Amino acid sequence: MKILVIVPAYNEGKAIYNVVTSILREKIHGLNVLVVNDGSLDNTKQEAERAGAKVINLPINLGIGGAVQTGYLYAYYNNYDIAIQFDGDGQHRAADLRRIIDPIKKNKCDMVIGSRFVEISEYKPSFFRSVGIKFFSSLVSRLCNEKVYDTTSGYRAINSKVIESFVNYYPKDYPEVETIAYLIKNGFKVEEIPVVMNYRTEGVSSITPIKSIYYMIKVTLALLILPRTSIN
């Protein structure tokens, strides 16, 4: 199977080399790493290439949604069977990749989420993140009639059907929560598996208290008007 790990990166020059090399060290057959350099102002591009990744350079910063969808477009047009979103800041662990991929390979589901909360873990988000995580977990679970524990995790794998769907529809910003609800409401099967995540070691999170409020309002409204898809 052809597997693409999509790493969206904005000014992650200090972390991206170690992120890419950690993925490649797993030596998973058929796997390639694509770094989507989202208009970085530092040496993200050079460090990603030095580590052995393919790199797409976006001329302007599109945000997480635009960067990740760029990766899905690349996966679609290059006939990848599985695409994996993997953060460029060092929070995700490459050691979990095989466990993330396995349910997709066995056709057990269409998306796998690497979840921090499906089991009790030592991961402790900040106050604002914790409020958002609990709120959206409750809201998505109610809207979809299916329990979802970690709606904001960016560590996820999808099959070719979902890749095709995301080529046609993908939220511009804060896409994680919305895409889970979108898939479930359109009949795709989503599964969570427990993973351990690191805390950010380099760079600064873009989520501020003010942005958290905007994020909660924007995503809540988006969840209430989710589109339907003909792909399934």
Side-chain angles (χ1 to χ4, degrees), residues 1-4 29-30 74-76 78-84 101 104-105 107 109-110 157-164:
M1 301 185 82
K2 291 181 66 178
I3 302 167
L4 184 68
H29 181 71
Y74 182 93
Y76 177 73
N78 288 277
N79 300 309
Y80 279 89
D81 302 294
I82 297 174
I84 303 163
I101 294 167
I104 303 285
K105 281 188 170 182
N107 293 316
C109 59
D110 301 295
I158 59 175
N159 64 14
S160 58
K161 287 195 302 181
V162 180
I163 292 171
E164 184 176 0

Side-chain angles (χ1 to χ4, degrees), residues 159-190:
N159 64 14
S160 58
K161 287 195 302 181
V162 180
I163 292 171
E164 184 176 0
S165 186
F166 283 172
V167 163
N168 294 288
Y169 170 77
Y170 202 77
K172 179 181 177 181
D173 55 1
Y174 311 119
E176 284 81 12
V177 177
E178 192 176 336
T179 49
I180 293 171
Y182 169 75
L183 291 180
I184 294 173
K185 290 176 76 72
N186 281 285
F188 293 95
K189 182 171 176 54
V190 177

Side-chain angles (χ1 to χ4, degrees), residues 92-195:
H92 298 162
R93 296 188 180 187
D96 290 317
L97 279 169
R98 284 184 171 81
R99 295 175 55 244
I100 290 278
I101 294 167
D102 191 57
I104 303 285
K105 281 188 170 182
K106 294 179 178 177
N107 293 316
K108 291 182 177 180
C109 59
D110 301 295
M111 171 188 271
V112 176
I113 301 169
S115 175
R116 296 160 289 188
F117 310 116
V118 71
E119 292 182 356
I120 296 174
S121 73
E122 297 181 356
Y123 183 85
K124 303 296 181 185
S126 67
F127 172 77
F128 287 102
R129 284 183 180 272
S130 180
V131 169
I133 288 166
K134 290 177 181 178
F135 173 77
F136 285 121
S137 174
S138 176
L139 180 60
V140 170
S141 297
R142 286 174 180 269
L143 290 175
C144 298
N145 296 313
E146 181 176 327
K147 182 63 178 175
V148 182
Y149 293 89
D150 196 349
T151 55
T152 63
S153 171
Y155 198 178
R156 47 186 61 189
I158 59 175
N159 64 14
S160 58
K161 287 195 302 181
V162 180
I163 292 171
E164 184 176 0
S165 186
F166 283 172
V167 163
N168 294 288
Y169 170 77
Y170 202 77
K172 179 181 177 181
D173 55 1
Y174 311 119
E176 284 81 12
V177 177
E178 192 176 336
T179 49
I180 293 171
Y182 169 75
L183 291 180
I184 294 173
K185 290 176 76 72
N186 281 285
F188 293 95
K189 182 171 176 54
V190 177
E191 180 177 320
E192 290 182 87
I193 66 166
V195 298

Side-chain angles (χ1 to χ4, degrees), residues 6-10 36-40 58-71 85 170-176 206 211:
I6 301 165
V7 185
Y10 176 66
V36 182
N37 184 28
D38 193 17
S40 296
L58 300 179
I60 59 173
N61 179 262
L62 296 182
I64 184 66
V68 173
Q69 190 180 38
T70 298
Q85 182 182 340
Y170 202 77
K172 179 181 177 181
D173 55 1
Y174 311 119
E176 284 81 12
S206 62
K211 283 187 176 181

Side-chain angles (χ1 to χ4, degrees), residues 40-64:
S40 296
L41 303 175
D42 64 359
N43 62 340
T44 295
K45 172 184 179 293
Q46 292 80 6
E47 287 297 287
E49 290 177 337
R50 185 170 73 90
K54 301 174 185 291
V55 179
I56 292 178
N57 281 298
L58 300 179
I60 59 173
N61 179 262
L62 296 182
I64 184 66

